[in-house]
Protein backbone atom coordinates (compact mmCIF):
# COMPACT_ATOMS: atom_id res chain seq x y z
CA UNK A 1 0.00 0.00 0.00
CA UNK A 2 2.79 2.44 0.86
CA UNK A 3 4.50 1.72 -2.45
CA UNK A 4 1.32 2.56 -4.37
CA UNK A 5 0.94 5.86 -2.49
CA UNK A 6 4.59 6.71 -3.12
CA UNK A 7 4.30 5.94 -6.83
CA UNK A 8 1.15 8.03 -7.11
CA UNK A 9 2.84 10.92 -5.28
CA UNK A 10 5.89 10.84 -7.54
CA UNK A 11 3.67 10.71 -10.65
CA UNK A 12 1.67 13.72 -9.48
CA UNK A 13 4.79 15.72 -8.66
CA UNK A 14 6.45 14.95 -11.99
CA UNK A 15 3.28 16.04 -13.80
CA UNK A 16 3.41 19.36 -11.94
CA UNK A 17 7.03 20.13 -12.74
CA UNK A 18 7.12 18.87 -16.33
CA UNK A 19 7.41 21.78 -18.74
CA UNK A 20 6.33 21.46 -22.33
CA UNK A 21 7.55 24.00 -24.83
CA UNK A 22 6.00 24.68 -28.21
CA UNK A 23 6.31 27.38 -30.83
CA UNK A 24 2.92 28.99 -30.11
CA UNK A 25 3.43 29.19 -26.31
CA UNK A 26 7.09 30.28 -26.37
CA UNK A 27 7.72 31.99 -29.74
CA UNK A 28 10.77 33.90 -28.41
CA UNK A 29 12.51 30.63 -27.54
CA UNK A 30 11.80 28.99 -30.89
CA UNK A 31 12.80 32.11 -32.82
CA UNK A 32 16.11 32.14 -30.90
CA UNK A 33 16.67 28.42 -31.56
CA UNK A 34 16.21 29.16 -35.27
CA UNK A 35 18.49 32.18 -35.48
CA UNK A 36 20.65 33.05 -32.46
CA UNK A 37 24.19 32.06 -31.49
CA UNK A 38 25.26 30.18 -28.36
CA UNK A 39 25.20 32.47 -25.33
CA UNK A 40 22.01 34.24 -26.37
CA UNK A 41 19.57 35.00 -23.51
CA UNK A 42 15.95 35.98 -23.75
CA UNK A 43 12.51 35.88 -22.17
CA UNK A 44 10.29 32.85 -22.71
CA UNK A 45 7.13 34.99 -22.84
CA UNK A 46 5.87 37.94 -20.85
CA UNK A 47 6.70 37.11 -17.23
CA UNK A 48 7.03 33.35 -17.87
CA UNK A 49 10.78 33.07 -17.31
CA UNK A 50 14.11 33.30 -19.09
CA UNK A 51 16.32 31.07 -21.22
CA UNK A 52 19.93 30.93 -22.40
CA UNK A 53 21.21 28.94 -25.37
CA UNK A 54 24.27 27.12 -24.02
CA UNK A 55 25.59 25.02 -26.90
CA UNK A 56 24.89 23.67 -30.37
CA UNK A 57 25.94 20.30 -31.78
CA UNK A 58 25.26 18.25 -34.90
CA UNK A 59 25.78 14.63 -35.86
CA UNK A 60 25.42 15.42 -39.56
CA UNK A 61 21.74 14.49 -39.54
CA UNK A 62 20.29 16.31 -36.53
CA UNK A 63 20.99 19.75 -35.10
CA UNK A 64 20.70 19.89 -31.30
CA UNK A 65 20.81 22.83 -28.91
CA UNK A 66 21.15 22.81 -25.12
CA UNK A 67 19.16 25.52 -23.35
CA UNK A 68 19.11 26.55 -19.68
CA UNK A 69 15.60 27.57 -18.63
CA UNK A 70 14.53 29.42 -15.49
CA UNK A 71 10.82 29.57 -14.64
CA UNK A 72 9.16 30.56 -11.36
CA UNK A 73 12.23 29.92 -9.24
CA UNK A 74 13.01 26.65 -11.02
CA UNK A 75 16.12 26.11 -13.13
CA UNK A 76 16.57 23.21 -15.55
CA UNK A 77 18.27 22.28 -18.80
CA UNK A 78 16.44 21.25 -21.97
CA UNK A 79 17.73 19.77 -25.21
CA UNK A 80 16.05 20.66 -28.49
CA UNK A 81 16.84 18.75 -31.69
CA UNK A 82 15.59 18.85 -35.26
CA UNK A 83 16.36 17.49 -38.69
CA UNK A 84 16.76 19.80 -41.70
CA UNK A 85 13.36 21.35 -42.46
CA UNK A 86 11.84 19.86 -39.29
CA UNK A 87 10.57 21.35 -36.05
CA UNK A 88 12.47 21.59 -32.77
CA UNK A 89 11.53 18.78 -30.38
Amino acid sequence: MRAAVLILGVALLSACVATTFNRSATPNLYSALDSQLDGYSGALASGAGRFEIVSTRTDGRRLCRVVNVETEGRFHTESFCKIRGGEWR
Side-chain angles (χ1 to χ4, degrees), residues 6-77:
L6 179 62
I7 291 170
L8 179 61
V10 169
L12 289 173
L13 282 176
S14 47
C16 292
V17 298
T19 305
T20 303
F21 297 102
N22 60 58
R23 194 172 286 275
S24 62
T26 52
N28 297 346
L29 171 63
Y30 280 80
S31 177
L33 289 171
D34 290 336
S35 62
Q36 298 297 326
L37 299 174
D38 292 351
Y40 179 82
S41 294
L44 287 172
S46 59
R50 300 200 49 78
F51 69 90
E52 178 185 5
I53 299 173
V54 177
S55 65
T56 305
R57 300 280 187 263
T58 185
D59 64 3
R61 191 176 76 76
R62 292 182 312 155
L63 179 66
C64 296
R65 304 197 82 179
V66 175
V67 179
N68 287 336
V69 179
E70 185 176 353
T71 57
E72 299 177 20
R74 184 171 169 252
F75 179 84
H76 63 280
T77 302

